[in-house]
mmCIF file of all heavy atoms in Angstrom:
data_model
loop_
_atom_site.group_PDB
_atom_site.id
_atom_site.type_symbol
_atom_site.label_atom_id
_atom_site.label_comp_id
_atom_site.label_asym_id
_atom_site.label_seq_id
_atom_site.Cartn_x
_atom_site.Cartn_y
_atom_site.Cartn_z
ATOM 1 N N ALA O 18 23.536 -78.656 39.666
ATOM 2 C CA ALA O 18 23.237 -77.506 38.822
ATOM 3 C C ALA O 18 22.654 -77.947 37.489
ATOM 4 O O ALA O 18 22.816 -79.093 37.068
ATOM 5 C CB ALA O 18 24.505 -76.682 38.586
ATOM 6 N N VAL O 44 22.032 -80.718 31.695
ATOM 7 C CA VAL O 44 21.888 -79.765 30.593
ATOM 8 C C VAL O 44 20.522 -79.962 29.940
ATOM 9 O O VAL O 44 20.116 -81.091 29.680
ATOM 10 C CB VAL O 44 23.015 -79.943 29.555
ATOM 11 C CG1 VAL O 44 22.827 -78.995 28.375
ATOM 12 C CG2 VAL O 44 24.388 -79.720 30.206
ATOM 13 N N LEU O 117 9.502 -64.913 44.270
ATOM 14 C CA LEU O 117 9.451 -64.417 45.646
ATOM 15 C C LEU O 117 9.217 -65.556 46.638
ATOM 16 O O LEU O 117 9.868 -65.618 47.688
ATOM 17 C CB LEU O 117 8.354 -63.362 45.790
ATOM 18 C CG LEU O 117 8.600 -62.056 45.022
ATOM 19 C CD1 LEU O 117 7.344 -61.214 44.973
ATOM 20 C CD2 LEU O 117 9.741 -61.285 45.631
ATOM 21 N N PRO O 134 42.590 -65.662 32.681
ATOM 22 C CA PRO O 134 43.588 -66.574 33.273
ATOM 23 C C PRO O 134 42.987 -67.886 33.766
ATOM 24 O O PRO O 134 43.558 -68.956 33.556
ATOM 25 C CB PRO O 134 44.173 -65.762 34.436
ATOM 26 C CG PRO O 134 43.954 -64.336 34.039
ATOM 27 C CD PRO O 134 42.640 -64.328 33.293
ATOM 28 N N VAL O 145 38.638 -78.344 30.824
ATOM 29 C CA VAL O 145 37.608 -77.902 29.886
ATOM 30 C C VAL O 145 38.063 -78.249 28.476
ATOM 31 O O VAL O 145 39.115 -77.817 28.022
ATOM 32 C CB VAL O 145 37.346 -76.383 30.024
ATOM 33 C CG1 VAL O 145 36.430 -75.883 28.913
ATOM 34 C CG2 VAL O 145 36.733 -76.069 31.386
ATOM 35 N N ASN O 146 37.269 -79.053 27.779
ATOM 36 C CA ASN O 146 37.615 -79.548 26.445
ATOM 37 C C ASN O 146 36.923 -78.707 25.374
ATOM 38 O O ASN O 146 35.859 -79.073 24.882
ATOM 39 C CB ASN O 146 37.195 -81.024 26.343
ATOM 40 C CG ASN O 146 37.391 -81.594 24.957
ATOM 41 O OD1 ASN O 146 38.069 -81.006 24.120
ATOM 42 N ND2 ASN O 146 36.787 -82.731 24.702
#
Side-chain angles (χ1 to χ4, degrees):
V44 177
L117 293 167
V145 172
N146 175 14

